[in-house]
Amino acid sequence: MADSIQLEGVIPVLPVPFCEDQSLDLDAFATEVRWAVERPIDGLALFGLASEYWKLDDRERLTLVETLVASVERRKPVVVSVTDTSRFHAEKFARRVATMGVDALVVMPPHFMSPKPEKVIDHCRAVADAVAPLPVVVQYSPAYIGVSLPVDVFVKLHERSPNVGYVKVEPRPPGPMVEALRTASDGRIQCLIGQGGLTLADCRDRGIVGVMPGVAVAEVYRKLWDGLAAESVDPEILDLNDRLVALMSHIVPTIDMWVAAEKHLLAWRGVIDRPVLRDPSSPPEDGYVRHLRRCFDRIRPHLEDTHHDRNGQAVMETMINTGTRKTCLITGASRGIGLGIAKRLDRCGYRLALTCQSHDSLGKLHQELAHFSCTDHLPILCDVGEEAQIEAMFSQVDAVFGRLDALVVNAGIHRQESSTEIPPTHGTDSSPSTCAAPCSAAARPHGA
């Protein structure tokens, strides 16, 4: 069991990545953790609402805790939520994870069948007493768990189990309860907030000790946490807060939208491959994702750009043109190298025109786009061996984006003739022609 620590600052909650078949993707989770540890944060949390904890079995939860602790390597405090609704299982899980190297626990009050306040106290006390003196946070999110509790319940809980020193306050708005808890407990109960930090500017003034948002834009929370503490807040910090509020207001209406948004943001940043939710779920429609991307682009200049691949190696993404986004045309983008380049440039903020030669490949490209982005992409059906179709391709790019900054010629024509039979316009070697010359020539009048 870890020594007792003080929870404070920015402590993001980690989403759980899944494979296409919805099985647990532990490699992706370890990559996500290593990336998160490099952010300017004060701890990492697991099994909050953003973690889809209700879709995980006990074995998966323990495996994730083990992976989290091993990947963090004691560089940041680790906070794990106990979400079981029965006292027996909650106490059992708490005892188990307390031996695995976690630094604090969050206990979700039982809510099924609307238990009375005294039963809630008994449940939370059982968890807290099982791991004392490990710090314990009680998560109070009435909108999601369906149980409303008065302030005196938390005060009594702290009096009976002193290691329950924190409440994650998530009523809407949380500010009044933050002040009520501080007053009723004479400052002994310290408060954190969640809900994406929507009310961070208000609650920072009310004396909260930390915020537990999602992890995808953790750098923004660090700047706001530090900047909003100033006696005179810099106008740039207030503007950044407005941008974050716009993003979070779009994200938080439902749990599925929230989790899906976090995973899309992480995919756009190159941290995870695909924003897969485990069923049952309600994936967001394209319009939601398009606006999410617009909100994301507004805060992108404030984000760092280092992540780690699955081998733990640092990889640098260049986040270019956050103000004026460039446009790139990629031929042969439905698979392989072309698709890989498209994903990388998408993470770097490019608007993309992507060509395929057949209706089948175009359908596959639409499926791929749905996984890593649904915004500012123009799929085009084009045979780059036909000059008329090449011209039409560039005309479509002009009509939709109004400019072309870069061209990646990946599609090619494979000819069976020997090199002596290939006409000069198609090159003079025996390899398949990539049509670079006709595409490059056609691109010049369009700016690329």
Side-chain angles (χ1 to χ4, degrees):
M1 187 178 296
D3 294 333
S4 182
I5 59 148
Q6 177 73 24
L7 297 177
E8 58 186 4
V10 180
I11 307 173
V13 179
L14 295 160
V16 175
F18 298 109
C19 301
E20 282 294 351
D21 62 2
Q22 299 194 9
S23 60
L24 196 62
D25 192 340
L26 276 179
D27 287 342
F29 180 68
T31 298
E32 178 188 335
V33 173
R34 289 192 294 266
W35 173 85
V37 167
E38 298 298 327
R39 305 307 100 194
I41 59 175
D42 301 296
L44 282 171
L46 182 61
F47 304 139
L49 292 167
S51 304
E52 295 177 89
Y53 70 82
W54 60 97
K55 300 176 183 178
L56 303 168
D57 63 27
D58 290 347
R59 178 187 58 80
E60 289 176 322
R61 288 193 297 161
L62 290 173
T63 301
L64 285 164
V65 173
E66 184 177 38
T67 303
L68 172 60
V69 171
S71 300
V72 169
E73 296 179 321
R74 307 303 305 164
R75 288 175 288 174
K76 305 283 183 182
V78 170
V79 183
V80 171
S81 290
V82 180
T83 59
D84 304 82
T85 56
S86 76
R87 174 175 166 176
F88 174 83
H89 287 296
E91 185 177 348
K92 179 181 177 182
F93 182 77
R95 288 184 184 278
R96 179 70 180 90
V97 298
T99 66
M100 298 173 69
V102 305
D103 299 285
L105 295 182
V106 176
V107 58
M108 177 84 73
H111 53 276
F112 187 67
M113 301 294 291
S114 301
K116 294 180 180 180
E118 56 266 27
K119 294 298 183 181
V120 172
I121 293 176
D122 289 345
H123 180 97
C124 295
R125 278 198 65 198
V127 173
D129 293 348
V131 299
L134 210 64
V136 172
V137 183
V138 177
Q139 180 168 2
Y140 181 49
S141 184
Y144 293 123
I145 67 174
V147 174
S148 296
L149 300 171
V151 168
D152 67 286
V153 167
F154 300 98
V155 176
K156 290 177 182 177
L157 181 55
H158 172 72
E159 290 172 348
R160 297 177 187 180
S161 299
N163 59 320
V164 180
Y166 303 86
V167 177
K168 186 181 180 184
V169 182
E170 296 186 296
R172 298 178 178 177
M177 188 171 183
V178 169
E179 292 197 341
L181 277 168
R182 291 183 63 205
T183 300
S185 68
D186 293 325
R188 290 171 296 164
I189 295 178
Q190 301 187 67
C191 296
L192 306 101
I193 63 167
Q195 295 178 341
L198 268 172
T199 57
L200 181 55
D202 172 45
C203 291
R204 193 75 168 99
D205 286 340
R206 298 178 188 256
I208 59 170
V209 297
V211 58
M212 299 181 71
V215 73
V217 293
E219 300 94 328
V220 171
Y221 291 104
R222 166 54 59 200
K223 291 182 179 182
L224 292 178
W225 181 256
D226 295 340
L228 291 170
E231 184 174 342
S232 178
V233 179
D234 191 307
E236 290 187 5
I237 293 295
L238 296 175
D239 175 70
L240 179 57
N241 184 71
D242 290 344
R243 296 179 185 218
L244 178 72
V245 168
L247 174 64
M248 291 300 136
S249 296
H250 185 59
I251 286 176
V252 300
T254 71
I255 291 295
D256 267 356
M257 291 169 69
W258 192 343
V259 177
E262 270 289 301
K263 290 186 174 182
H264 271 86
L265 297 178
L266 287 171
W268 289 335
R269 297 196 67 180
V271 182
I272 62 176
D273 291 335
R274 301 175 188 275
V276 176
L277 276 64
R278 182 174 273 183
D279 288 332
S281 64
S282 301
E285 44 85 34
D286 289 355
Y288 173 89
V289 179
R290 282 194 297 271
H291 187 68
L292 177 68
R293 185 57 183 255
R294 286 193 290 268
C295 293
F296 174 60
D297 285 339
R298 293 186 66 215
I299 65 171
R300 199 161 191 171
H302 299 275
L303 301 177
E304 297 175 2
D305 55 5
T306 301
H307 72 273
H308 289 77
D309 63 21
R310 297 194 176 197
N311 296 318
Q313 299 300 309
V315 179
M316 186 70 70
E317 294 284 354
T318 306
M319 293 191 172
I320 60 174
N321 296 296
T322 53
T324 304
R325 296 173 63 194
K326 289 188 176 182
T327 301
C328 180
L329 169 63
I330 305 174
T331 66
S334 63
R335 60 188 175 89
I337 294 174
L339 181 60
I341 293 172
K343 290 181 177 181
R344 179 58 58 89
L345 292 182
D346 177 79
R347 295 168 190 164
C348 294
Y350 276 83
R351 302 180 300 178
L352 299 175
L354 307 168
T355 78
C356 302
Q357 187 174 6
S358 69
H359 288 284
D360 286 345
S361 58
L362 192 65
K364 293 178 182 178
L365 178 58
H366 275 292
Q367 292 177 0
E368 289 290 342
L369 292 180
H371 287 303
F372 69 92
S373 184
C374 292
T375 179
D376 290 336
H377 288 160
L378 174 64
I380 301 173
L381 190 64
C382 179
D383 182 349
V384 295
E386 299 292 336
E387 292 189 13
Q389 292 191 34
I390 291 175
E391 288 294 340
M393 171 182 71
F394 285 110
S395 295
Q396 287 187 59
V397 174
D398 280 346
V400 173
F401 295 131
R403 59 183 288 179
L404 180 62
D405 302 283
L407 171 66
V408 177
V409 184
N410 179 64
I413 306 168
H414 185 81
R415 294 178 175 268
Q416 300 298 322
E417 301 100 327
S418 68
S419 60
T420 58
E421 296 174 318
I422 299 176
T425 55
H426 293 294
T428 58
D429 59 35
S430 58
S431 63
S433 170
T434 62
C435 299
C439 283
S440 299
R444 291 190 188 101
H446 302 271

